[in-house]
Amino acid sequence: MKLLITGGAGFIGSHVVRRFVRNYPQYSIVNLDALTYAGNLANLADVQGESNYRFVKGDITDKEFIQQLFREEQFDGVIHLAAESHVDRSISGPDAFIQTNVVGTANLLNAAVESWKGNMDGKRFYHVSTDEVFGSLGAEGKFSETTAYDPRSPYSASKASSDHLVRAYHHTYGLPILISNCSNNYGSHHFPEKLIPLIIHNIKNKKPLPVYGKGENIRDWLWVEDHARAIDVVFHRGKLGDTYCVGGNNEWKNIDVVKLLCKLMDEKLGRVDGESEQLITYVTDRPGHDARYAIDATKLKTELDWEPTQPFETLLSQTIDWYLQNDAWLEQVTSGSYRNYYEQQYNR
Ligand code: NAD
Ligand code: TYD
């Protein structure tokens, strides 16, 4: 199997690459990544020398380059994770989201159709997507594979567009596709612009902990390694043309996640209980802030025997330990342009 993984230098992508490089020595794995602010080869330092792994720097919005890569490499499978992924950035600058998430995905689809036409046997194009395409839930109910799309941010609208294109290529050209829509991930190597790593970073440095609105929005948190395992299972055993919802069955209000992080980190850092909570600062809400996400992952459990690992507190505690032990990683990714982003986003 000659496998292309896009976005492998990012948060989830690096966990997927590591899992596939270690578990499938017989595969030849190419990690294609443009190394944007969110991509970091240090995330993959432990696998970079493996004989079944190769990194290619490149941009999925570059149509000629993508076509050439597919011609040269003759991939059998694609796991597509490359994306602009942060909702707040999509609000301040949507163009990059449309380019990478929509146009970039179309370039990959076109190259796969071209490369596989005449013989699609054994081929698979797996598109990794988000539950945010479904919009925002009220107090009741969960998203499932049959929920209608209702994206409400430029990020989720661009991901929804790409999902539609992927399905259309299946129906129109017979492209053997798979899609999964996953809830919020947490774990190691997560860029500290997203809630959990940002709060860990700020608690560590005794900086204000920005909570949007009243902190009552709810997310369904899934450990990133569980997501990588779900991707492995769906890629190898999923039914072609199908969609799978992936979630942690683990709903938390943002303010409760922040308070839990404060409590765990006060213990770990030898601070007085309650000290870090004083850093909590309520800030202006995100425009169009989705109230609640929750996933019903019954299909994945019933058909492919996948379940999330529990419990959240234990895995969150391990996650904090990773950030505290990998000071250099955190310092590296929060230097330079990160500072400008942070100042702009939080006015400080
Ligand atoms: P990330 O932002 O950490 O990583 C994205 C990676 O894509 C980076 O390495 C970046 O360099 C690369 N990239 C960006 N633009 C590119 C381009 N034009 N060409 C090539 N590479 C490019 O994102 P993530 O959180 O790891 O998310 C990965 C995928 O999973 C995304 O498709 C995202 O929509 C989806 N997803 C994320 C979550 C989550 O909680 N983070 C949940 C569900 C689904
Ligand atoms: P985030 O990690 O950006 O993921 P998403 O918006 O894709 O769900 O945010 C998770 C939740 O935390 C979301 O409801 C917005 C909120 N949030 C804050 O309250 N403060 C912050 O500084 C950030 C980054 C997010």
Side-chain angles (χ1 to χ4, degrees):
M1 158 91 61
K2 186 116 197 202
L3 177 62
L4 172 67
I5 301 180
T6 71
F11 166 47
I12 301 171
S14 62
H15 287 271
V16 173
V17 167
R18 184 175 300 102
R19 182 179 179 94
F20 275 71
V21 167
R22 293 214 175 123
N23 290 3
Y24 303 102
Q26 72 279 26
Y27 289 6
S28 169
I29 297 166
V30 172
N31 169 17
L32 170 68
D33 198 297
L35 299 182
T36 68
Y37 78 91
N40 186 352
L41 284 181
N43 294 353
L44 289 165
D46 53 334
V47 296
Q48 67 180 4
E50 299 298 334
S51 58
N52 62 340
Y53 171 72
R54 192 158 72 83
F55 173 70
V56 173
K57 184 170 187 297
D59 193 324
I60 60 168
T61 66
D62 184 342
K63 186 175 180 171
E64 269 72 51
F65 164 75
I66 293 296
Q67 282 174 341
Q68 181 72 17
L69 185 72
F70 272 74
R71 263 185 236 120
E72 280 169 15
E73 300 284 345
Q74 299 288 311
F75 297 116
D76 303 298
V78 176
I79 304 180
H80 174 37
L81 297 113
E84 289 291 339
S85 68
H86 188 38
V87 174
D88 294 325
R89 284 186 193 251
S90 84
I91 294 168
S92 51
D95 288 0
F97 288 71
I98 295 158
Q99 284 306 314
T100 287
N101 299 0
V102 185
V103 177
T105 301
N107 287 339
L108 291 166
L109 288 166
N110 286 329
V113 167
E114 177 65 26
S115 171
W116 297 344
K117 82 177 163 230
N119 184 13
M120 303 247 185
D121 285 354
K123 308 289 196 279
R124 4 197 79 198
F125 187 109
Y126 182 176
H127 177 61
V128 176
S129 193
T130 167
D131 62 353
E132 303 191 26
V133 298
F134 299 123
S136 181
L137 290 165
E140 300 294 318
K142 292 186 175 196
F143 301 132
S144 76
E145 291 78 7
T146 55
T147 305
Y149 276 36
D150 184 21
R152 293 151 43 102
S153 73
Y155 164 63
S156 55
S158 67
K159 290 298 289 187
S161 307
S162 61
D163 292 12
H164 288 321
L165 282 171
V166 173
R167 287 196 189 95
Y169 274 60
H170 174 64
H171 294 296
T172 306
Y173 306 108
L175 194 71
I177 65 106
L178 294 150
I179 298 183
S180 56
N181 296 94
C182 187
S183 63
N184 289 63
N185 286 209
Y186 69 96
S188 70
H189 303 90
H190 201 182
F191 194 78
E193 64 183 354
K194 306 279 171 66
L195 180 72
I196 288 182
L198 183 127
I199 296 295
I200 293 173
H201 179 60
N202 286 12
I203 293 175
K204 179 172 159 259
N205 294 302
K206 298 192 176 180
K207 284 175 60 178
L209 311 180
V211 173
Y212 297 166
K214 293 184 179 149
E216 283 176 354
N217 303 63
I218 293 173
R219 298 294 182 261
D220 174 359
W221 292 99
L222 177 70
W223 190 41
V224 64
E225 306 252 354
D226 284 339
H227 189 190
R229 181 165 49 85
I231 289 172
D232 187 342
V233 165
V234 170
F235 181 72
H236 288 104
R237 295 195 281 119
K239 186 164 162 272
L240 293 177
D242 267 22
T243 294
Y244 295 85
C245 279
V246 190
N249 197 21
N250 180 41
E251 290 180 52
W252 285 75
K253 277 187 190 167
N254 292 338
I255 188 63
D256 294 335
V257 172
V258 172
K259 285 184 176 167
L260 177 58
L261 287 167
C262 288
K263 181 172 152 290
L264 292 170
M265 287 188 69
D266 279 347
E267 281 164 23
K268 288 178 195 290
L269 296 169
R271 294 183 188 166
V272 180
D273 188 29
E275 187 179 330
S276 298
E277 271 198 26
Q278 288 170 21
L279 298 168
I280 292 175
T281 309
Y282 292 92
V283 299
T284 311
D285 208 353
R286 173 187 282 173
H289 196 172
D290 289 339
R292 177 173 162 253
Y293 303 144
I295 283 278
D296 174 356
T298 307
K299 177 175 175 181
L300 201 47
K301 160 90 178 115
T302 318
E303 292 188 13
L304 300 177
D305 201 24
W306 176 93
E307 270 186 299
T309 312
Q310 300 287 356
F312 181 55
E313 284 85 341
T314 312
L315 294 169
L316 195 64
S317 171
Q318 279 176 25
T319 299
I320 296 168
D321 290 343
W322 186 87
Y323 288 95
L324 294 179
Q325 284 155 18
N326 288 272
D327 221 29
W329 184 92
L330 207 48
E331 291 315 314
Q332 187 212 331
V333 299
T334 52
S335 63
S337 63
Y338 178 85
R339 297 223 173 96
N340 299 334
Y341 162 77
Y342 195 88
E343 276 164 27
Q344 253 180 359
Q345 179 64 23
Y346 298 102
N347 295 320
R348 36 182 109 237

